[in-house]
Amino acid sequence: MATISTFSDKWVLVIDDMEGMRSQLRMSLSSSGFAKLHLVSNIKEAIERIAANKYDVILCDYSLGDSTDGQQFLEYLRTNDLITRNTIFVMITAEQAYEKVVVASECAPDDYLLKPFTAAQFNARLEKLLEKQAYFAPLDRATDKKNWARVVAECDLMIPSKDKYFFELHKIKGSALLRNNQPQQAVECYRAILALRPIGWAKLGLARSLAATGEHSESEKITREILAESPQFLAAYDFLAKQLERNGEKNAALDVLQKARQISPGTMSRIRETSALAVDSGQPELAESIMRQALQKHKHSPVRQANDYAVLSKALLNQGKTSEALSTVQEAQKSFQDAKSLVMLAASESVVHRAAGNSAQAEIALSKAMSGTDLGSLPAATVLAVAEACFALGKDAEATKLLQHAVQNHEDDHQISQRVHAVLVASGKDANEASAIISASQQEIILLNNNGVRKAQAGELAEAIDMLSTAADRLPNNLQITGNAALVLALDMVKNGKTADKLARCMNYRETLIKKSPNYPKIEQIDNLLKQLKS
């Protein structure tokens, strides 16, 4: 058994809606030497605690009353980076069937305990988990910072020992290589593992890596082989669906996701993808059924998003259920008060009013959406929703401008380009015309970037700064533009002297790059120039 000193400095959060179980866990943890304990009865309290404290261990009951289950809560925490990767998350459940849930899950806890369990079993599990936590701490710190190059370097230091974590280290390394835009090296990493053992995650990693190198046919073939061998492998269904959607095979992608749902309802991300595909594929009844069921289950849960209600509203509207569609939006407007959510919901409200023949109210709602917040800070899905509302009111020029912005702000995101294309076609544009609009938008921003770089190379730094900074402020997700804006500001300060304004702008763009892509190549160039500045 682990000593008291092993546990005494660890912060633990317990989430359980049953007072008796919380008391039992408190006694068990305290007797084991844990002194820093917080116990809460619901997810709302848990989120408040997590926002204010860094926990080493989270013990969460799988069944949490009428809000959500522990599995969905874990997904919410992980996907929103609310806990560090080094945080141990243990699921506690009385349900014997949970093993099937966790095996099928892509977002699995570090461990799970079936009730009832003894104090000795509990301590033994935690001791092993804390040992693993310490082992992976350097990797987890780099992962939390999204420093994928560092993750790869740490793996390379640890892999030669060939210890019990040998395969897991390769799994982490392969994923980090992909995230660091090194797909060919990831291919080699996964092939090396598959030469030793035919592991499912390595096959899927290889499929993803091949897709990233452009070998889509081979990638799809491997993914289908995985599903033939392991029909419970939900992550493979999700990846295959994305491949099919990328090829324009929306109905086929929807069929794949439906097969996954037969195995497990899955994460909210899968529910969202399935619902959106169902709407786009002309199956609004299916979209309504899936999303309504999910929102009912998570009625009081933080895993809900305003966009979920927007999708449900659209599914209802496409069935002619106008009053229900409006009620759905209005219900969401009571729950979501943040600016970005209100923009999305105002756009949905405008579309519903227009369909009901209430043009004046549609205009009012659209006006709210258009004035809600800066376009650059909005998710692409929200920008597209506002564009759809504009098209519905005959404001084609405004709609097209919004879609051009979405394409330019996410220049390398093929999925967003596909969605923009779908919105354009739905508005009545010919498919070729829609493609031309997207291509022209992409070429426009490429030309702007190239002109800015040429001006900088020609010594016209003031003009280059003005051109690239204006574009970077408008398109904060376009890393090429943001990186070049920071670069020309740094170059100007090296040549013409530092000013507080230019340094602040340069550092702001640099911070944006680090947040979105810590290993972005231009960061090193920017830093080398900044080192030349006189203090």
Side-chain angles (χ1 to χ4, degrees):
M1 183 182 295
T3 63
I4 287 178
S5 61
T6 304
F7 293 162
S8 61
D9 63 339
K10 301 296 183 182
W11 274 103
V12 181
L13 175 66
V14 175
I15 312 163
D16 198 300
D17 61 339
M18 302 296 290
E19 185 178 354
M21 192 63 193
R22 291 198 303 275
S23 297
Q24 181 183 329
L25 286 169
R26 181 195 293 276
M27 287 189 290
S28 182
L29 287 162
S30 296
S31 65
S32 299
F34 286 98
K36 300 174 180 179
L37 304 176
H38 285 152
L39 297 93
V40 299
S41 62
N42 57 60
I43 284 177
K44 183 176 182 295
E45 292 179 68
I47 289 174
E48 291 171 356
R49 287 289 192 180
I50 289 168
N53 302 275
K54 180 182 180 297
Y55 291 100
D56 299 287
V57 182
I58 295 176
L59 305 175
C60 183
D61 191 51
Y62 177 62
S63 178
L64 292 169
D66 62 356
S67 55
T68 191
D69 61 51
Q71 191 64 37
Q72 295 284 8
F73 183 50
L74 173 59
E75 180 208 357
Y76 172 76
L77 294 176
R78 293 266 193 240
T79 56
N80 290 283
D81 291 329
L82 298 180
I83 56 175
T84 67
R85 189 60 197 90
N86 205 230
T87 301
I88 295 170
F89 194 104
V90 179
M91 203 77 71
I92 297 175
T93 179
E95 300 185 37
Q96 296 291 328
Y98 179 69
E99 186 172 357
K100 293 183 179 178
V101 174
V102 75
V103 167
S105 174
E106 310 90 299
C107 193
D110 296 285
D111 204 348
Y112 67 97
L113 283 166
L114 290 175
K115 301 175 188 176
F117 50 83
T118 66
Q121 290 171 324
F122 183 69
N123 288 340
R125 293 282 188 95
L126 281 181
E127 186 176 4
K128 288 181 180 179
L129 289 168
L130 288 167
E131 173 199 296
K132 186 176 180 181
Q133 181 187 62
Y135 180 91
F136 282 100
L139 281 169
D140 290 336
R141 283 194 293 270
T143 298
D144 287 335
K145 293 177 182 177
K146 295 181 171 54
N147 188 339
W148 308 118
R150 185 66 187 168
V151 172
V152 173
E154 291 286 352
C155 286
D156 285 339
L157 288 173
M158 299 162 80
I159 284 172
S161 65
K162 295 185 178 180
D163 59 21
K164 61 183 176 180
Y165 298 118
F166 177 78
F167 287 101
E168 190 164 351
L169 286 167
H170 277 87
K171 183 179 183 180
I172 294 169
K173 178 182 177 180
S175 176
L177 285 167
L178 265 180
R179 290 172 178 267
N180 202 41
N181 297 315
Q182 296 176 271
Q184 190 53 52
Q185 291 91 328
V187 168
E188 294 165 7
C189 175
Y190 289 121
R191 286 199 190 281
I193 286 298
L194 290 169
L196 298 173
R197 189 179 296 176
I199 306 174
W201 59 255
K203 288 185 179 180
L204 184 56
L206 176 60
R208 286 174 167 151
S209 304
L210 289 169
T213 65
E215 295 184 50
H216 296 288
S217 178
E218 181 64 17
S219 172
E220 182 179 334
K221 177 186 174 185
I222 291 172
T223 309
R224 290 188 182 279
E225 289 173 357
I226 293 169
L227 289 173
E229 297 166 359
S230 308
Q232 300 289 314
F233 200 162
L234 291 180
Y237 286 98
D238 291 337
F239 181 62
L240 178 57
K242 282 185 171 60
Q243 289 177 297
L244 293 168
E245 187 179 3
R246 183 188 185 282
N247 296 335
E249 301 175 60
K250 291 186 177 181
N251 285 311
L254 181 59
D255 288 343
V256 168
L257 291 177
Q258 282 289 79
K259 288 178 183 177
R261 287 186 68 248
Q262 290 171 7
I263 299 167
S264 169
T267 61
M268 277 303 293
S269 58
R270 182 181 305 118
I271 288 167
R272 290 176 183 123
E273 184 67 23
T274 308
S275 300
L277 269 173
V279 170
D280 291 345
S281 302
Q283 300 184 53
E285 298 89 350
L286 176 60
E288 178 193 353
S289 173
I290 294 170
M291 188 55 78
R292 193 185 289 283
Q293 183 180 4
L295 291 176
Q296 183 60 40
K297 178 182 179 182
H298 305 299
K299 189 173 182 180
H300 306 291
S301 167
V303 304
R304 298 173 307 143
Q305 295 177 2
N307 190 47
D308 299 334
Y309 289 86
V311 169
L312 177 56
S313 175
K314 190 173 183 180
L316 290 164
L317 192 60
N318 287 0
Q319 297 174 69
K321 300 178 181 178
T322 310
S323 60
E324 287 184 59
L326 183 58
S327 296
T328 297
V329 173
Q330 291 171 338
E331 178 189 348
Q333 287 169 333
K334 295 174 185 175
S335 301
F336 299 93
Q337 294 298 312
D338 62 287
K340 293 178 182 179
S341 294
L342 290 174
V343 171
M344 167 64 81
L345 294 171
S348 297
E349 182 186 356
S350 177
V351 172
V352 176
H353 281 311
R354 178 66 186 87
N358 301 322
S359 296
Q361 289 174 287
E363 289 280 3
I364 292 170
L366 179 58
S367 178
K368 288 179 184 177
M370 296 287 280
S371 61
T373 188
D374 174 56
L375 270 180
S377 68
L378 292 175
T382 305
V383 176
L384 267 60
V386 178
E388 287 181 304
C390 286
F391 275 131
L393 287 170
K395 300 179 185 293
D396 288 21
E398 292 92 330
T400 302
K401 185 177 178 181
L402 287 165
L403 295 177
Q404 289 171 330
H405 181 278
V407 169
Q408 293 177 349
N409 199 26
H410 304 273
E411 187 182 2
D412 298 322
D413 195 321
H414 180 74
Q415 191 173 28
I416 288 175
S417 293
Q418 279 189 315
R419 289 176 179 171
V420 167
H421 190 277
V423 172
L424 286 165
V425 170
S427 74
K429 299 277 192 285
D430 177 81
N432 291 330
E433 182 184 1
S435 297
I437 290 171
I438 292 169
S439 178
S441 302
Q442 293 167 334
Q443 289 303 312
E444 179 185 324
I445 204 64
I446 290 170
L447 181 61
L448 185 153
N449 179 71
N450 291 345
N451 285 341
V453 170
R454 275 196 291 268
K455 284 185 179 295
Q457 292 171 339
E460 300 172 22
L461 291 173
E463 294 91 334
I465 288 171
D466 182 60
M467 182 180 294
L468 291 169
S469 293
T470 300
D473 292 341
R474 184 171 64 89
L475 307 168
N477 290 313
N478 189 313
L479 298 190
Q480 186 174 42
I481 292 288
T482 301
N484 282 333
L487 205 56
V488 296
L489 280 162
L491 181 61
D492 180 80
M493 287 188 287
V494 168
K495 291 194 172 184
N496 301 316
K498 179 174 65 176
T499 68
D501 174 63
K502 287 178 181 176
L503 181 60
R505 290 160 67 195
C506 179
M507 295 305 290
N508 181 55
Y509 296 139
R510 179 183 177 277
E511 184 65 22
T512 297
L513 290 175
I514 289 173
K515 283 182 179 178
K516 297 182 183 297
S517 180
N519 305 307
Y520 195 70
K522 283 191 173 67
I523 294 173
E524 184 177 359
Q525 295 175 261
I526 295 162
D527 287 350
N528 287 337
L529 287 170
L530 291 175
K531 287 175 186 176
Q532 299 177 40
L533 299 181
K534 296 179 181 178
S535 58

